[in-house]
Amino acid sequence: MSFETESQLISRIAKRAFAYATKMIYDANHRDDVNLGDPKVGGHPASCSSCVHIMSALHLGVRGAADTFAIKPHASPVDHSLN
């Protein structure tokens, strides 16, 4: 696969992963089972949007099957979407 084709594919997957991450954040912040005093559990869409392309390249283009990497919690919705 050529670099341009691989880059385009990663970009398309990154857009989809960001859409899933945004939905995950929305759903977490708009749950029906929240009680008064429960902590807010949603993520940070701005942090997700700033890291989605880097994390997509790491997940899809660099990381091997046995590799792991650490991320901050702000980026976890993107990480979960890519997994």
Side-chain angles (χ1 to χ4, degrees), residues 1-10:
M1 183 180 296
S2 72
F3 175 75
E4 184 176 352
T5 307
E6 184 177 347
S7 176
Q8 290 172 341
L9 179 61
I10 288 174

Side-chain angles (χ1 to χ4, degrees), residues 13-71:
I13 293 171
K15 287 181 184 179
R16 186 176 295 172
F18 181 64
Y20 288 142
T22 303
K23 180 169 179 2
M24 192 182 312
I25 293 167
Y26 178 85
D27 289 345
N29 285 329
H30 295 88
R31 295 185 347 243
D32 292 336
D33 62 342
V34 176
N35 295 317
L36 188 63
D38 282 352
K40 185 176 175 185
V41 296
H44 302 270
S47 298
C48 290
S49 67
S50 68
C51 73
V52 69
H53 285 90
I54 293 170
M55 288 189 60
S56 295
L58 288 172
H59 269 276
L60 304 169
V62 177
R63 190 180 87 164
D67 293 340
T68 59
F69 55 90
I71 59 163

